[in-house]
Amino acid sequence: MKSDCIQTTTCQERKKDPMEMFHSGQLVKVCAPMVRYSKLAFRTLVRKYSCDLCYTPMIVAADFVRSVKARDSEFTTNQGDCPLIVQFAANDARLLSDAARIVCPYANGIDINCGCPQRWAMAEGYGACLINKPELVQDMVKQVRNQVENPRFSVSIKIRIHDDLTRTVDLCRKAEATGVSWITVHGRTVEERHQPVHYEAIKIIKDNASIPVIANGDIRSLKEAENVRHITGTDGVMVARGLLANPAMFAGYEETPLKCVSDWVDIALELGTPYICFHQHLMYMMEKITSRQEKRVFNALSSTSAVLDYLRDHYGI
């Protein structure tokens, strides 16, 4: 677990406590947990462009607790990486609370993944299968609350919805009663992938909750984010693919500005981002600003130096 040993109090002293953000009345703009992508370098980039709160990629709590190697590879942070939520996949309250205690000095809170629909995750008892196990979710929240001494350390959940929305509302009420700080709702069922997001379902959940709720699903511009907030009444919006395509989205840009591409190059090189990740992010970011022919050439580049030469020659970066 590589870090500059940032303490949670540092974030609080800088008035970056997520709960204060949610109660400010302003739309809280959140970078979603994305496997491989929402790592330190990308979080650093989106924070430069008006992202308020960032999540780590999902980390399997059991591996994180048992393996120093897993901790070092899965969780990297620094002093500017704040406020930060560490998302865990877990099905065991003790292991989750142990993981929460490990990251507590370096983050503002943890999130329990109750929404991942991938088969491997559900087969392990992680992710979206937890929306059918409210008692287990409650137990995990309680254990973390009991084990982490910092009262401002948040414990949140990210869920998908049931076909029968009364079950989702019941889950959220039980989680709230146990001490969940906020709930992020991806407005699709476990079976749904590319179908339209059920924003009206998120609104019903928000109307039945007394804690902050974040809306998630198919938000690709700041205007869409504000519209979703208007429809749902939520306190924040969480974005995944929209930010991959345009990390400056929350600052109001319709497509990735070249300054953002330049910033990514500087950040990625400074933090030692592996080439595949460095290149992949650029392919997403430049999707709308390159021709089909340019994409073919750029996507085939195979080294950092080749990418840097291309950006310099074609875009003056």
Side-chain angles (χ1 to χ4, degrees), residues 222-240:
L222 182 59
K223 186 175 180 182
E224 284 184 15
E226 290 167 342
N227 187 47
V228 167
R229 189 205 193 178
H230 177 72
I231 293 168
T232 61
T234 49
D235 307 274
V237 293
M238 176 182 282
V239 177

Side-chain angles (χ1 to χ4, degrees), residues 29 46 48-51 222 243 246-254:
K29 301 180 286 290
V46 296
K48 287 177 70 79
Y49 290 90
S50 302
C51 183
L222 182 59
L243 277 176
N246 179 8
M249 186 194 104
F250 283 143
Y253 291 92
E254 290 298 316

Side-chain angles (χ1 to χ4, degrees), residues 6 9 65 165 213 233 241 243 272:
I6 178 173
T9 48
V65 170
L165 203 58
V213 174
R241 285 175 294 187
L243 277 176

Side-chain angles (χ1 to χ4, degrees), residues 63-76:
D63 296 341
F64 191 78
V65 170
R66 292 169 183 152
S67 166
V68 173
K69 184 178 178 182
R71 293 200 283 278
D72 285 343
S73 65
E74 296 287 340
F75 182 57
T76 306

Side-chain angles (χ1 to χ4, degrees), residues 55-99:
Y55 282 53
T56 68
M58 180 183 75
I59 299 169
V60 177
D63 296 341
F64 191 78
V65 170
R66 292 169 183 152
S67 166
V68 173
K69 184 178 178 182
R71 293 200 283 278
D72 285 343
S73 65
E74 296 287 340
F75 182 57
T76 306
T77 189
N78 63 21
Q79 193 155 352
D81 190 27
C82 175
L84 178 65
I85 303 301
V86 182
Q87 191 189 64
F88 284 113
N91 58 17
D92 180 286
R94 183 185 59 78
L95 284 171
L96 178 64
S97 62
D98 287 346

